Amino acid sequence: METTLVLRAVLIGIGATITMDLWAVALKRFLGIPSLDYAMVGRWIGHFPQGRFRHQRIAAAAPVSGERLIGWSAHYAIGIVFAGLLLSIWGQGWAMLPTLAPALIVGLATVAAPFFLMQPGMGAGIAASKTPAPNVARLRSLVTHAVFGLGLYLSALSLAAVWHP
């Protein structure tokens, strides 16, 4: 992967992740819907070196030093990786003239990560099946990842407006 592609992935991924985080802030502020606690994501990841990838309930697992920083860092790193995936599939041409459809496709496809990796690993079951309201959790995940996709598009559009190779 060439340097320009990596730099674009970093900038677009950070922008898209910020968009998703602003969405979470708006949901909490205006609708009282709490967002994911990234310290719990950090706790889950923090147990990986000991070979522990699944938990009955991540909140009951032993705390990990720096879990909040680990979780937030992973959140942004994952956003960058997903932006890199978008650019790898659609190419830098897309980044110079972004369109909404590829960004939404990737955004919605990324919901597979929480549904099949993160939620089961943290004790919520596949696609939040073990939560009190699985369909509500699933819908929130889908909408949040659609917002991430919109963020991919808006970030690429903003970047294209100021970065002309």
Side-chain angles (χ1 to χ4, degrees):
M1 198 181 270
E2 69 178 70
T3 306
T4 304
L5 188 65
V6 171
L7 184 55
R8 283 186 197 281
V10 168
L11 296 173
I12 293 169
I14 288 172
T17 306
I18 288 170
T19 303
M20 190 167 82
D21 291 340
L22 291 173
W23 173 254
V25 168
L27 286 177
K28 185 172 183 176
R29 181 173 182 152
F30 299 115
L31 300 177
I33 297 171
S35 64
L36 177 62
D37 181 357
Y38 288 101
M40 294 299 101
V41 174
R43 182 174 296 178
W44 176 56
I45 293 168
H47 283 273
F48 289 1
Q50 290 79 39
R52 183 105 194 260
F53 302 99
R54 292 181 57 92
H55 299 266
Q56 288 293 93
R57 207 173 118 252
I58 193 63
V64 173
S65 179
E67 61 189 27
R68 188 166 310 282
L69 177 62
I70 294 167
W72 277 97
S73 298
H75 174 54
Y76 275 82
I78 292 165
I80 291 165
V81 167
F82 287 152
L85 176 66
L86 170 63
L87 294 173
S88 294
I89 295 169
W90 273 274
Q92 289 205 63
W94 176 86
M96 292 183 269
L97 289 168
T99 54
L100 183 58
L104 283 180
I105 289 167
V106 170
L108 288 170
T110 64
V111 82
F115 278 6
F116 299 111
L117 295 174
M118 193 175 86
Q119 291 168 355
M122 294 174 70
I126 293 174
S129 62
K130 294 182 180 179
T131 63
N135 288 333
V136 171
R138 292 172 187 141
L139 181 60
R140 280 191 201 155
S141 291
L142 281 169
V143 171
T144 297
H145 283 258
V147 169
F148 176 75
L150 179 63
L152 289 168
Y153 170 68
L154 294 174
S155 297
L157 199 61
S158 299
L159 187 58
V162 297
W163 185 1
H164 308 286

